[in-house]
Amino acid sequence: MKKLGLLMAGGASAIVLISNLGPMVGLAISAAILYFVFKQFLKAESTLAKVGYGIIGFIAFMATASNFPAILGLAAAYVLYLVYKKWNASSSIVKEEEHDPFANFEKQWAELKQN
């Protein structure tokens, strides 16, 4: 039953991830352009260059903002990663008991000393 839930969550997140691949690429490209324009804006010394970089930066910012729903794709990729980790995790946890005969004696001796 646990594997079925993981399969359903993984399938849903894979569909969301695939449907948001285009906006994710657009977000990455527009964010990179915005970063480089910002760096050039800070380096520019003339007013005309700053105005030009400001206009280009505003256009890049609008492109970045329009691709903001791609964050859902990033969240789906993270959920898919968690499903993958849970799927490969060992489902049986073995509790190891101590086989040392003196450990039981020490525990009982501590109980007797408390009383």
Side-chain angles (χ1 to χ4, degrees), residues 45-83:
E45 295 186 14
S46 71
T47 306
L48 185 62
K50 285 196 181 244
V51 168
Y53 285 127
I55 291 170
I56 295 171
F58 180 73
I59 293 169
F61 178 73
M62 287 296 124
T64 304
S66 69
N67 287 320
F68 192 72
I71 301 298
L72 290 175
L74 295 175
Y78 181 69
V79 169
L80 201 58
Y81 170 74
L82 291 178
V83 167

Side-chain angles (χ1 to χ4, degrees), residues 64-109:
T64 304
S66 69
N67 287 320
F68 192 72
I71 301 298
L72 290 175
L74 295 175
Y78 181 69
V79 169
L80 201 58
Y81 170 74
L82 291 178
V83 167
Y84 175 75
K85 293 288 278 185
K86 285 282 190 178
W87 189 277
N88 290 334
S90 176
S91 62
S92 61
I93 300 173
V94 177
K95 185 176 179 183
E96 187 174 319
E97 294 182 18
E98 294 182 22
H99 296 291
D100 186 17
F102 296 108
N104 192 24
F105 173 75
E106 293 292 331
K107 189 176 9 171
Q108 288 178 350
W109 184 256

Side-chain angles (χ1 to χ4, degrees), residues 1-78:
M1 191 68 171
K2 183 178 179 183
K3 295 278 186 178
L4 179 65
L6 288 174
L7 184 67
M8 291 175 65
S13 62
I15 289 170
V16 170
L17 177 65
I18 290 171
S19 67
N20 284 319
L21 277 180
M24 286 172 61
V25 170
L27 178 68
I29 291 171
S30 62
I33 291 171
L34 183 62
Y35 172 75
F36 288 120
V37 167
F38 180 72
K39 294 294 269 186
Q40 290 299 319
F41 177 81
L42 292 179
K43 289 181 186 177
E45 295 186 14
S46 71
T47 306
L48 185 62
K50 285 196 181 244
V51 168
Y53 285 127
I55 291 170
I56 295 171
F58 180 73
I59 293 169
F61 178 73
M62 287 296 124
T64 304
S66 69
N67 287 320
F68 192 72
I71 301 298
L72 290 175
L74 295 175
Y78 181 69

